[in-house]
Amino acid sequence: MFSACALRVSPIPHLCDVIVGAKSLFVRRDFVSRVRFAEVGSRRGRSWVGVRAMGSVPADFSKPRKVVKKVLSQAQPEGDGATVRRSIGRPELKQLDPFLLLDYFEASGPAGFPDHPHRGFETVTYMLQGSFTHEDFAGHKGILEAGDVQWMTAGRGIVHSEMPSPVGVQRGLQLWVNLAGKDKMIEPNYQELKAKDIPRIEKDGVEVVIIAGESFGVKSPVYTRTPTMYLDFYLQPGASLHQAIPEGWNAFTFVLKGSMVFGKEDAPPIGPSHTVVLSDGDGLSAWNKGTEPAQFVLVGGKPLNEPVAQYGPFVMNTQAQLMEAVRDYQYGKNGFERAHSWRSEAKAQSTP
């Protein structure tokens, strides 16, 4: 199964240059009868076209995914004076196994997310603009800048701080990924990638940042304990893509800018701040039919199919485990030994 593909018009008459991953294959144009073409631009002197499925079913997906639910993210206060736009985690979409929460945040100092705990899941922070300073009670500290990713495994427990730069507006996404019961009490861990170290592929009007998983035959170096894919797509006007998604995984898209058509070429376009839940299937087709560039993230994960007991930043399998997590934090034990003696530099500076 191709992870993504595109077609270009060949300089040789009657041939099409079929791009699959990093490889090209010339085939007769009249042989590819199940797709139609629309020239939308040129690059390095060669005309290119996006793959357009005849009707709505791409030739390389036996079970294409469709839109089953659309949720507009709603603004709500979070942290200390900050505001997020939340979709997953609200009553309209409480969870999408294994995903617990999706926030789009915009923050300017001094507002932010000061010292707070987590147990039992992972947080994935993807910076879109500006920078955030992160520090935790184990002595880990760093700065996330535009394009950087932090994949934090909270495991048995961590207390940390996420504070924006005091200059300008900081924008990004934070995703919460649940951990299986067997992994909830592992030691905390970080995977931090600078923008320059994250694979980025550009082919014929489609650019993708491969945060986790695979696209265009290129894999991310990120290890996902809960199997996950996380792709950031940019599409020029008229461009389209077909991205494979493992069958049986739950998946969604979140539109960041522009408008996108998902699943069927004749479906209505979906604009910014919408989370789009997809049906099961082996892949997603998407089109930018607008006049401006569009950007969206595609996220998919293998369901854990386990019970979820959640109280704020603590996520376990049973109510008994949840109460134990709260007590551990309150009494500073079982992973939270430094919880009450530690203060982040940001909080120390703001406390009289």
Side-chain angles (χ1 to χ4, degrees):
M1 184 63 64
F2 305 147
S3 48
C5 62
L7 299 183
R8 291 188 305 213
V9 176
S10 167
I12 304 174
H14 310 301
L15 294 183
C16 286
D17 186 4
V18 183
I19 311 299
V20 181
K23 299 179 179 179
S24 297
L25 175 67
F26 287 108
V27 299
R28 287 181 56 87
R29 291 189 201 176
D30 57 0
F31 180 77
V32 190
S33 59
R34 283 176 290 181
V35 296
R36 63 179 182 268
F37 310 99
E39 185 172 330
V40 293
S42 62
R43 187 171 174 225
R44 294 187 178 91
R46 302 180 72 180
S47 299
W48 59 269
V49 293
V51 175
R52 300 299 180 91
M54 181 64 72
S56 63
V57 183
D60 43 1
F61 293 148
S62 62
K63 190 177 177 183
R65 291 185 180 237
K66 305 293 194 302
V67 174
V68 296
K69 188 171 186 176
K70 181 176 70 172
V71 177
L72 179 63
S73 301
Q74 300 294 324
Q76 65 181 66
E78 192 69 33
D80 185 1
T83 300
V84 302
R85 293 187 67 95
R86 181 165 298 169
S87 53
I88 300 176
R90 291 183 56 81
E92 304 95 314
L93 187 57
K94 191 170 182 180
Q95 296 166 8
L96 186 65
D97 187 15
F99 307 114
L100 303 163
L101 175 144
L102 178 68
D103 279 348
Y104 169 84
F105 59 84
E106 284 190 2
S108 300
F113 310 94
D115 310 7
H116 58 279
H118 293 294
R119 173 182 278 184
F121 61 100
E122 298 180 304
T123 67
V124 184
T125 304
Y126 179 34
M127 289 300 300
L128 299 169
Q129 175 183 317
S131 63
F132 255 67
T133 298
H134 171 270
E135 53 182 315
D136 70 22
F137 69 176
H140 184 90
K141 183 177 180 180
I143 297 177
L144 293 177
E145 299 176 310
D148 294 351
V149 171
Q150 181 193 75
W151 203 292
M152 184 187 81
T153 303
R156 66 198 302 256
I158 203 162
V159 177
H160 72 158
S161 168
E162 301 159 291
M163 299 301 291
S165 165
V167 179
V169 177
Q170 328 307 317
R171 301 170 52 247
L173 292 170
Q174 186 166 97
L175 175 72
W176 289 12
V177 184
N178 200 8
L179 287 171
K182 64 182 179 60
D183 296 325
K184 287 186 177 295
M185 295 298 286
I186 63 175
E187 290 297 320
N189 182 55
Y190 289 92
Q191 297 177 81
E192 294 183 322
L193 283 81
K194 304 301 289 183
K196 64 180 179 62
D197 299 321
I198 301 173
R200 180 185 294 261
I201 306 299
E202 183 177 358
K203 285 188 179 296
D204 303 321
V206 177
E207 183 176 3
V208 58
V209 179
I210 307 168
I211 297 168
E214 180 179 352
S215 187
F216 285 101
V218 178
K219 294 182 178 180
S220 165
V222 169
Y223 169 69
T224 59
R225 193 173 295 274
T226 299
T228 304
M229 63 184 298
Y230 193 149
L231 306 172
D232 181 11
F233 284 104
Y234 302 76
L235 275 74
Q236 295 300 317
S240 61
L241 67 91
H242 303 301
Q243 171 65 47
I245 304 171
E247 195 165 352
W249 285 25
N250 286 327
F252 68 90
T253 66
F254 180 78
V255 181
L256 286 160
K257 67 178 181 180
S259 63
M260 287 296 305
V261 173
F262 297 111
K264 298 190 302 180
E265 194 172 359
D266 58 355
I270 297 174
S273 300
H274 282 92
T275 293
V276 178
V277 180
L278 304 172
S279 65
D280 193 12
D282 58 355
L284 173 69
S285 296
W287 297 262
N288 178 4
K289 290 180 170 291
T291 58
E292 301 293 331
Q295 179 185 7
F296 71 94
V297 295
L298 168 61
V299 181
K302 184 178 181 180
L304 297 174
N305 296 317
E306 295 182 357
V308 176
Q310 181 174 357
Y311 178 71
F314 306 110
V315 183
M316 305 302 289
N317 291 119
T318 68
Q319 287 297 318
Q321 293 171 343
L322 190 60
M323 294 305 298
E324 182 180 15
V326 173
R327 286 194 297 268
D328 286 348
Y329 175 65
Q330 290 175 336
Y331 293 107
K333 61 180 185 178
N334 293 332
F336 288 114
E337 285 78 5
R338 288 166 286 189
H340 302 294
S341 61
W342 177 78
R343 291 289 183 275
S344 66
E345 290 183 12
K347 189 164 187 176
Q349 292 170 0
S350 64
T351 303

